mmCIF file of all heavy atoms in Angstrom:
data_model
loop_
_atom_site.group_PDB
_atom_site.id
_atom_site.type_symbol
_atom_site.label_atom_id
_atom_site.label_comp_id
_atom_site.label_asym_id
_atom_site.label_seq_id
_atom_site.Cartn_x
_atom_site.Cartn_y
_atom_site.Cartn_z
ATOM 1 N N ASN X 24 -10.586 -1.831 25.309
ATOM 2 C CA ASN X 24 -11.735 -1.995 24.419
ATOM 3 C C ASN X 24 -11.539 -3.127 23.415
ATOM 4 O O ASN X 24 -10.417 -3.550 23.129
ATOM 5 C CB ASN X 24 -11.983 -0.701 23.635
ATOM 6 C CG ASN X 24 -12.474 0.434 24.518
ATOM 7 O OD1 ASN X 24 -12.331 1.589 24.182
ATOM 8 N ND2 ASN X 24 -13.081 0.102 25.659
ATOM 9 N N LYS X 25 -12.671 -3.556 22.857
ATOM 10 C CA LYS X 25 -12.672 -4.441 21.691
ATOM 11 C C LYS X 25 -13.425 -3.735 20.580
ATOM 12 O O LYS X 25 -14.549 -3.292 20.785
ATOM 13 C CB LYS X 25 -13.382 -5.759 22.002
ATOM 14 C CG LYS X 25 -12.676 -6.673 22.976
ATOM 15 C CD LYS X 25 -13.469 -7.968 23.124
ATOM 16 C CE LYS X 25 -12.806 -8.907 24.107
ATOM 17 N NZ LYS X 25 -13.565 -10.175 24.249
ATOM 18 N N LYS X 26 -12.809 -3.650 19.440
ATOM 19 C CA LYS X 26 -13.446 -3.033 18.287
ATOM 20 C C LYS X 26 -13.082 -3.819 17.034
ATOM 21 O O LYS X 26 -12.156 -4.636 17.044
ATOM 22 C CB LYS X 26 -12.967 -1.580 18.108
ATOM 23 C CG LYS X 26 -13.334 -0.645 19.241
ATOM 24 C CD LYS X 26 -14.812 -0.313 19.243
ATOM 25 C CE LYS X 26 -15.125 0.724 20.329
ATOM 26 N NZ LYS X 26 -16.577 0.999 20.392
ATOM 27 N N SER X 27 -13.803 -3.536 15.948
ATOM 28 C CA SER X 27 -13.509 -4.192 14.676
ATOM 29 C C SER X 27 -13.471 -3.181 13.549
ATOM 30 O O SER X 27 -14.295 -2.258 13.502
ATOM 31 C CB SER X 27 -14.565 -5.263 14.368
ATOM 32 O OG SER X 27 -14.517 -6.300 15.321
ATOM 33 N N LEU X 28 -12.535 -3.370 12.649
ATOM 34 C CA LEU X 28 -12.473 -2.604 11.413
ATOM 35 C C LEU X 28 -13.055 -3.455 10.299
ATOM 36 O O LEU X 28 -12.836 -4.667 10.246
ATOM 37 C CB LEU X 28 -11.027 -2.229 11.072
ATOM 38 C CG LEU X 28 -10.197 -1.587 12.171
ATOM 39 C CD1 LEU X 28 -8.826 -1.192 11.628
ATOM 40 C CD2 LEU X 28 -10.898 -0.411 12.791
ATOM 41 N N LYS X 29 -13.776 -2.778 9.406
ATOM 42 C CA LYS X 29 -14.411 -3.493 8.304
ATOM 43 C C LYS X 29 -13.909 -2.985 6.962
ATOM 44 O O LYS X 29 -13.705 -1.772 6.788
ATOM 45 C CB LYS X 29 -15.928 -3.327 8.377
ATOM 46 C CG LYS X 29 -16.699 -4.005 7.254
ATOM 47 C CD LYS X 29 -18.183 -3.738 7.367
ATOM 48 C CE LYS X 29 -18.951 -4.347 6.209
ATOM 49 N NZ LYS X 29 -20.415 -4.054 6.302
ATOM 50 N N CYS X 30 -13.724 -3.903 6.048
ATOM 51 C CA CYS X 30 -13.332 -3.574 4.684
ATOM 52 C C CYS X 30 -14.247 -4.327 3.732
ATOM 53 O O CYS X 30 -14.527 -5.512 3.951
ATOM 54 C CB CYS X 30 -11.881 -3.952 4.440
ATOM 55 S SG CYS X 30 -11.310 -3.698 2.741
ATOM 56 N N GLU X 31 -14.684 -3.648 2.690
ATOM 57 C CA GLU X 31 -15.537 -4.282 1.693
ATOM 58 C C GLU X 31 -15.064 -3.857 0.308
ATOM 59 O O GLU X 31 -14.796 -2.676 0.078
ATOM 60 C CB GLU X 31 -16.992 -3.880 1.914
ATOM 61 C CG GLU X 31 -17.983 -4.571 0.990
ATOM 62 C CD GLU X 31 -19.431 -4.270 1.357
ATOM 63 O OE1 GLU X 31 -19.660 -3.516 2.327
ATOM 64 O OE2 GLU X 31 -20.325 -4.791 0.676
ATOM 65 N N GLN X 32 -14.962 -4.827 -0.593
ATOM 66 C CA GLN X 32 -14.567 -4.474 -1.962
ATOM 67 C C GLN X 32 -15.662 -4.900 -2.942
ATOM 68 O O GLN X 32 -16.259 -5.974 -2.794
ATOM 69 C CB GLN X 32 -13.200 -5.079 -2.318
ATOM 70 C CG GLN X 32 -13.071 -6.570 -2.187
ATOM 71 C CD GLN X 32 -13.319 -7.329 -3.463
ATOM 72 O OE1 GLN X 32 -13.566 -6.752 -4.521
ATOM 73 N NE2 GLN X 32 -13.265 -8.650 -3.382
ATOM 74 N N HIS X 33 -15.876 -4.022 -3.909
ATOM 75 C CA HIS X 33 -16.941 -4.215 -4.895
ATOM 76 C C HIS X 33 -16.336 -4.430 -6.280
ATOM 77 O O HIS X 33 -16.925 -4.013 -7.296
ATOM 78 C CB HIS X 33 -17.854 -2.988 -4.900
ATOM 79 C CG HIS X 33 -18.370 -2.607 -3.548
ATOM 80 N ND1 HIS X 33 -19.555 -3.078 -3.046
ATOM 81 C CD2 HIS X 33 -17.842 -1.815 -2.575
ATOM 82 C CE1 HIS X 33 -19.747 -2.583 -1.839
ATOM 83 N NE2 HIS X 33 -18.725 -1.816 -1.517
ATOM 84 N N LEU X 34 -15.155 -5.041 -6.317
ATOM 85 C CA LEU X 34 -14.416 -5.175 -7.572
ATOM 86 C C LEU X 34 -14.367 -6.608 -8.080
ATOM 87 O O LEU X 34 -13.748 -6.871 -9.107
ATOM 88 C CB LEU X 34 -12.980 -4.658 -7.374
ATOM 89 C CG LEU X 34 -12.892 -3.194 -6.934
ATOM 90 C CD1 LEU X 34 -11.460 -2.846 -6.497
ATOM 91 C CD2 LEU X 34 -13.339 -2.269 -8.059
ATOM 92 N N GLY X 35 -14.990 -7.519 -7.341
ATOM 93 C CA GLY X 35 -14.952 -8.919 -7.757
ATOM 94 C C GLY X 35 -13.591 -9.566 -7.565
ATOM 95 O O GLY X 35 -13.288 -10.570 -8.201
ATOM 96 N N HIS X 36 -12.780 -9.003 -6.685
ATOM 97 C CA HIS X 36 -11.444 -9.539 -6.438
ATOM 98 C C HIS X 36 -11.477 -10.729 -5.491
ATOM 99 O O HIS X 36 -12.449 -10.939 -4.757
ATOM 100 C CB HIS X 36 -10.534 -8.449 -5.854
ATOM 101 C CG HIS X 36 -10.189 -7.380 -6.830
ATOM 102 N ND1 HIS X 36 -9.596 -6.190 -6.453
ATOM 103 C CD2 HIS X 36 -10.329 -7.319 -8.178
ATOM 104 C CE1 HIS X 36 -9.389 -5.440 -7.531
ATOM 105 N NE2 HIS X 36 -9.832 -6.106 -8.583
ATOM 106 N N ASN X 37 -10.369 -11.477 -5.520
ATOM 107 C CA ASN X 37 -10.290 -12.662 -4.671
ATOM 108 C C ASN X 37 -9.201 -12.577 -3.611
ATOM 109 O O ASN X 37 -9.079 -13.477 -2.785
ATOM 110 C CB ASN X 37 -10.042 -13.897 -5.546
ATOM 111 C CG ASN X 37 -11.238 -14.209 -6.415
ATOM 112 O OD1 ASN X 37 -12.331 -14.434 -5.910
ATOM 113 N ND2 ASN X 37 -11.037 -14.209 -7.729
ATOM 114 N N ALA X 38 -8.391 -11.532 -3.641
ATOM 115 C CA ALA X 38 -7.341 -11.369 -2.639
ATOM 116 C C ALA X 38 -7.579 -10.070 -1.877
ATOM 117 O O ALA X 38 -7.922 -9.045 -2.479
ATOM 118 C CB ALA X 38 -5.959 -11.345 -3.298
ATOM 119 N N MET X 39 -7.378 -10.122 -0.561
ATOM 120 C CA MET X 39 -7.548 -8.934 0.266
ATOM 121 C C MET X 39 -6.411 -8.854 1.273
ATOM 122 O O MET X 39 -5.853 -9.886 1.680
ATOM 123 C CB MET X 39 -8.910 -8.943 0.978
ATOM 124 C CG MET X 39 -10.082 -8.894 0.003
ATOM 125 S SD MET X 39 -11.688 -8.695 0.804
ATOM 126 C CE MET X 39 -11.650 -6.933 1.204
ATOM 127 N N TYR X 40 -6.081 -7.620 1.657
ATOM 128 C CA TYR X 40 -4.888 -7.357 2.455
ATOM 129 C C TYR X 40 -5.189 -6.343 3.570
ATOM 130 O O TYR X 40 -5.988 -5.423 3.375
ATOM 131 C CB TYR X 40 -3.786 -6.746 1.577
ATOM 132 C CG TYR X 40 -3.527 -7.444 0.267
ATOM 133 C CD1 TYR X 40 -4.363 -7.258 -0.818
ATOM 134 C CD2 TYR X 40 -2.414 -8.277 0.111
ATOM 135 C CE1 TYR X 40 -4.123 -7.886 -2.034
ATOM 136 C CE2 TYR X 40 -2.165 -8.906 -1.100
ATOM 137 C CZ TYR X 40 -3.022 -8.699 -2.166
ATOM 138 O OH TYR X 40 -2.779 -9.329 -3.363
ATOM 139 N N TRP X 41 -4.518 -6.505 4.692
ATOM 140 C CA TRP X 41 -4.469 -5.463 5.721
ATOM 141 C C TRP X 41 -3.036 -4.940 5.823
ATOM 142 O O TRP X 41 -2.082 -5.728 5.893
ATOM 143 C CB TRP X 41 -4.878 -6.001 7.096
ATOM 144 C CG TRP X 41 -6.343 -6.089 7.345
ATOM 145 C CD1 TRP X 41 -7.063 -7.208 7.600
ATOM 146 C CD2 TRP X 41 -7.285 -5.001 7.396
ATOM 147 N NE1 TRP X 41 -8.382 -6.904 7.786
ATOM 148 C CE2 TRP X 41 -8.552 -5.547 7.675
ATOM 149 C CE3 TRP X 41 -7.182 -3.615 7.242
ATOM 150 C CZ2 TRP X 41 -9.711 -4.783 7.787
ATOM 151 C CZ3 TRP X 41 -8.329 -2.847 7.350
ATOM 152 C CH2 TRP X 41 -9.571 -3.431 7.634
ATOM 153 N N TYR X 42 -2.932 -3.592 5.823
ATOM 154 C CA TYR X 42 -1.659 -2.924 6.012
ATOM 155 C C TYR X 42 -1.755 -1.972 7.195
ATOM 156 O O TYR X 42 -2.819 -1.428 7.482
ATOM 157 C CB TYR X 42 -1.288 -2.070 4.796
ATOM 158 C CG TYR X 42 -0.839 -2.818 3.573
ATOM 159 C CD1 TYR X 42 -1.760 -3.240 2.615
ATOM 160 C CD2 TYR X 42 0.509 -3.069 3.347
ATOM 161 C CE1 TYR X 42 -1.339 -3.903 1.465
ATOM 162 C CE2 TYR X 42 0.932 -3.728 2.197
ATOM 163 C CZ TYR X 42 0.011 -4.133 1.265
ATOM 164 O OH TYR X 42 0.420 -4.779 0.127
ATOM 165 N N LYS X 43 -0.610 -1.717 7.822
ATOM 166 C CA LYS X 43 -0.501 -0.710 8.865
ATOM 167 C C LYS X 43 0.451 0.374 8.370
ATOM 168 O O LYS X 43 1.548 0.063 7.884
ATOM 169 C CB LYS X 43 0.055 -1.318 10.161
ATOM 170 C CG LYS X 43 0.291 -0.316 11.272
ATOM 171 C CD LYS X 43 0.912 -0.985 12.484
ATOM 172 C CE LYS X 43 1.196 0.015 13.601
ATOM 173 N NZ LYS X 43 1.853 -0.616 14.770
#
Side-chain angles (χ1 to χ4, degrees):
Chain X
N24 291 157
K25 291 183 181 180
K26 296 288 185 183
S27 295
L28 310 184
K29 179 183 177 181
C30 176
E31 184 173 0
Q32 57 94 2
H33 308 269
L34 301 169
H36 290 168
N37 292 301
M39 297 187 77
Y40 312 78
W41 278 118
Y42 286 89
K43 176 183 178 182

